[in-house]
Amino acid sequence: MNYPEIRIKDGWLLRANASVYLHELWAKEGDVLADDNDMAKIVEAYNKEWKKHEKKILKGMHDLLGLEYRQNIINVYIAPWFHAFSDPLVIGVKYTPEEFVDTLTHELLHRLFTDNTSIPYDKKILLPEWKKLFGKDYSFGLIVHIPVHAVLKAIYLDVLKDPERLERDINWSKNQTDWDASDYLNAWDYIEQNDYKQIINKLKANYEKLSKENT
């Protein structure tokens, strides 16, 4: 099985443009925007921590879901004042190296669910399917995080054998004060009330169905 190359790098163009603007908006007295030296240290620390777990995590995703990334290279851009999102994959600098690994895993799961070799990348077919699986009246943010959190729980508990990661991830969502993490928390609640392994099995079966329908 070939896994994508995960390239973690300083998003210097983002940093020179969007980060400067965001710093002007949000910085408090004494806050300093990370410079080249700061970023080199942060990116090195993130890379070092990710490499400890990369093979296990990528293999775990594939084994759990039976999905393969469409891309063979995934660039991960690190830039100040960002949270994290999956496409393009951008992550901020506020995370510890351990938190970064969990955050990157989260975003890589979003990417794997939406851009894999089993379904067309240019058709919006997942949301209706997931509403059937999990609840038609749920918000978009909740629906898209139920699959991510189910697989995260499996990776934390069954792949990395590190239940403290699960506890830390849930607590991280609970402690957010600068943005609304209710969809994250509601997704974790859903996972606690439903068997995460059954959720993953439903997802795997659904992708197999979609693959047959779209070939």
Side-chain angles (χ1 to χ4, degrees), residues 89-202:
L89 209 161
V90 179
I91 299 178
V93 302
K94 65 181 181 178
Y95 305 95
T96 66
E98 293 79 11
E99 291 171 343
F100 170 80
V101 170
D102 299 343
T103 303
L104 177 53
T105 304
H106 179 126
E107 301 307 331
L108 286 172
L109 281 168
H110 278 304
R111 180 72 69 89
L112 180 59
F113 280 128
T114 58
D115 195 6
N116 58 70
T117 58
S118 296
I119 60 173
Y121 73 92
D122 57 347
K123 292 185 179 179
K124 297 180 179 180
I125 59 177
L126 289 177
L127 189 60
E129 295 290 327
W130 289 356
K131 282 182 175 289
K132 292 176 189 175
L133 290 178
F134 307 124
K136 63 183 179 64
D137 296 325
Y138 289 153
S139 69
F140 173 82
L142 173 53
I143 284 289
V144 301
H145 282 100
I146 290 172
V148 169
H149 287 182
V151 180
L152 277 176
K153 184 172 182 177
I155 288 175
Y156 294 153
L157 298 185
D158 306 323
V159 176
L160 298 179
K161 313 290 187 183
D162 189 351
E164 289 184 4
R165 286 183 180 272
L166 175 62
E167 183 178 354
R168 181 175 67 213
D169 200 332
I170 295 172
N171 286 334
W172 185 87
S173 296
K174 289 179 179 178
N175 294 330
Q176 293 308 303
T177 58
D178 57 344
W179 61 286
D180 183 4
S182 58
D183 285 330
Y184 283 56
L185 290 171
N186 289 335
W188 282 125
D189 286 341
Y190 186 99
I191 300 305
E192 289 302 305
Q193 295 168 21
N194 296 271
D195 186 337
Y196 69 97
K197 293 181 180 180
Q198 289 184 7
I199 294 171
I200 292 170
N201 287 337
K202 288 181 182 179

Side-chain angles (χ1 to χ4, degrees), residues 68-80:
E68 297 181 21
Y69 285 97
R70 187 178 294 275
Q71 298 170 307
N72 59 7
I73 296 174
I74 298 177
N75 290 316
V76 182
Y77 299 102
I78 311 301

